């Protein structure tokens, strides 16, 4: 997959402030963490590895998306799966571990947000309020704004990765996200576009046409949601994806590591179809 030089050389501290994605109590009694951007890429790598080893399913996705380009479909899934945890950029999620915020960002903010909305719904809200308008303005997926209707099925499917759909937005994301959180999430999505989303993948909605893309996206959303849940579950397995808070690793370097680990775990965890 093509990578811009900027993204290839981007480390976590250089442009995207470090946020924790997973945390656990270590043997010394302190909490250790796995950086959010790393966990997101772990999960995306698992989704890609599963499809690579389930060719019948991958071919069916290609048929439904009307493309012979296998790599474009893998790239498409990689991008959407990578942004499944955007809600964890919120101070409302990060505030659950103020000690980790202090460790990673140098200070504890004056407000730790509100814990009354799950991070999956917060990710959906952030997409709707911040990222969807940017996607339309910058034509991430072509010049037809009607393709964004179909994209909503994909974003809802990946955000609902805990087995239930995200709840409808009922307040501004500014209550749950600081300005720096919204900027960091936007920078992360931009990095994932450059790192994972090939031009051929980004063109899939336009190639199909907005109306057909909306219909097929609705049909595929159940399958996408199921694969998303499975990928998140496997991608959270610390036996294969050990915690890392190494802010010096570039996103491209970590993506290569995650892909290798994902291919290994897919072969060992017993989820592949018995006949392919």
């Amino acid at each position: 997959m093509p990578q811009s030089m900027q993204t290839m050389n981007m480390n976590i501290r250089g442009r995207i402030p470090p946020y924790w994605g997973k945390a656990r109590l270590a043997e010394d009694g302190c909490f250790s963490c796995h950086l959010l951007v790393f966990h997101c890429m772990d999960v995306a790598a698992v989704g890609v590895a599963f499809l690579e080893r389930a060719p019948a399913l991958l071919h069916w996705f290609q048929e439904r998306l009307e493309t012979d380009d296998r790599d474009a479909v893998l790239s498409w899934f990689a991008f959407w799966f990578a942004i499944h945890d955007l809600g964890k950029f919120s101070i409302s999620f990060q505030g659950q571990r103020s000690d980790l915020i202090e460790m990673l960002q140098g200070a504890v903010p004056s407000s730790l947000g509100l814990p009354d909305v799950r991070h999956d719904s917060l990710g959906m809200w952030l997409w709707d309020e911040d990222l969807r308008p940017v996607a339309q303005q910058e034509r991430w997926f072509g010049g037809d704004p009607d393709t964004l209707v179909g994209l909503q099925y994909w974003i809802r499917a990946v955000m609902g990765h805990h087995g239930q759909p995200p709840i409808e937005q009922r307040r501004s994301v500014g209550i749950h996200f600081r300005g720096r959180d919204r900027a960091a999430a936007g920078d992360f999505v931009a990095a994932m576009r450059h790192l994972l989303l090939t031009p051929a993948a980004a063109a899939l909605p336009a190639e199909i046409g907005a109306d057909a893309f909306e219909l097929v996206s609705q049909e595929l959303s159940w399958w996408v949601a199921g694969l998303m849940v499975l990928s998140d579950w496997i991608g959270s397995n610390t036996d294969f994806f050990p915690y890392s808070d190494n802010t010096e690793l570039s996103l491209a370097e970590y993506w290569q590591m995650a892909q290798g680990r994902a291919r290994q775990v897919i072969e060992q965890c017993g989820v592949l179809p018995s006949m392919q």
Side-chain angles (χ1 to χ4, degrees), residues 11-222:
N11 61 41
I12 306 306
R13 191 173 297 281
R15 185 177 176 197
I16 303 173
Y19 287 71
W20 66 272
K22 296 283 185 180
R24 65 181 176 188
L25 190 63
E27 293 181 358
D28 61 3
C30 298
F31 273 86
S32 62
C33 73
H34 193 39
L35 292 181
L36 175 55
V37 294
F38 292 166
H39 168 67
C40 289
M41 286 189 283
D42 292 340
V43 172
V46 170
V48 169
F50 182 89
L51 288 174
E52 287 176 334
R53 294 289 285 111
L57 179 60
L58 177 56
H59 182 70
W60 182 72
F61 280 131
Q62 288 178 237
E63 287 184 332
R64 303 308 299 136
L65 292 169
E66 300 181 22
T67 180
D68 294 327
D69 192 336
R70 169 183 178 273
D71 290 339
V73 173
L74 292 174
S75 168
W76 180 260
F77 273 88
F79 170 73
W80 290 109
F81 281 25
I83 67 172
H84 76 282
D85 258 348
L86 287 182
K88 286 187 176 181
F89 279 98
S90 67
I91 191 59
S92 293
F93 178 86
Q94 295 292 309
Q96 296 176 81
R97 299 294 331 165
S98 59
D99 54 336
L100 293 180
I101 299 177
E102 184 175 19
M103 180 186 77
L104 294 171
Q105 300 182 11
V108 178
S110 58
S111 172
L112 297 178
L114 299 172
D116 61 337
V117 181
R118 291 168 56 95
H119 70 270
D120 42 6
S121 294
L122 290 178
M124 185 76 205
W125 297 7
L126 187 68
W127 170 267
D128 284 342
E129 194 162 319
D130 283 11
L131 296 166
R132 186 182 181 188
V134 175
Q136 180 174 349
Q137 180 181 1
E138 297 182 356
R139 299 186 175 188
W140 291 1
F141 306 100
D144 186 351
D146 290 338
T147 59
L148 292 172
V149 178
L151 292 177
Q152 290 299 99
Y153 290 102
W154 291 85
I155 195 70
R156 286 181 64 84
V158 299
M159 292 303 172
H161 57 272
H162 288 290
Q164 63 188 44
I167 62 175
E168 296 297 323
Q169 186 167 351
R170 61 174 185 253
R171 57 167 73 112
S172 170
V173 300
I175 296 176
H176 294 280
F177 292 81
R178 298 170 295 174
R180 64 179 294 172
D181 303 331
R182 296 168 80 163
D187 286 342
F188 175 65
V189 173
M192 292 301 96
R193 284 182 60 226
H194 286 295
L195 183 64
L196 304 180
L197 191 67
T198 64
L204 286 173
E207 292 290 333
I208 301 172
D211 292 339
F213 179 66
E214 179 182 353
L215 291 174
V216 74
S217 296
Q218 183 177 10
E219 174 191 358
L220 295 183
S221 62
W222 293 97

Side-chain angles (χ1 to χ4, degrees), residues 170-274:
R170 61 174 185 253
R171 57 167 73 112
S172 170
V173 300
I175 296 176
H176 294 280
F177 292 81
R178 298 170 295 174
R180 64 179 294 172
D181 303 331
R182 296 168 80 163
D187 286 342
F188 175 65
V189 173
M192 292 301 96
R193 284 182 60 226
H194 286 295
L195 183 64
L196 304 180
L197 191 67
T198 64
L204 286 173
E207 292 290 333
I208 301 172
D211 292 339
F213 179 66
E214 179 182 353
L215 291 174
V216 74
S217 296
Q218 183 177 10
E219 174 191 358
L220 295 183
S221 62
W222 293 97
W223 292 86
V224 174
L227 183 56
M228 179 72 251
V229 171
L230 179 66
S231 299
D232 188 43
W233 175 66
I234 296 174
S236 300
N237 186 330
T238 56
D239 291 337
F240 290 93
F241 299 98
Y243 279 15
S244 174
D245 59 6
N246 182 359
T247 58
E248 298 307 314
L249 269 178
S250 74
L251 299 181
E253 289 170 335
Y254 190 83
W255 175 242
Q256 294 300 318
M257 294 169 56
Q259 286 181 292
R261 291 167 176 167
R263 292 183 180 117
Q264 180 183 4
V265 68
I266 282 295
E267 294 293 340
Q268 297 183 25
C269 67
V271 297
L272 291 173
S274 56

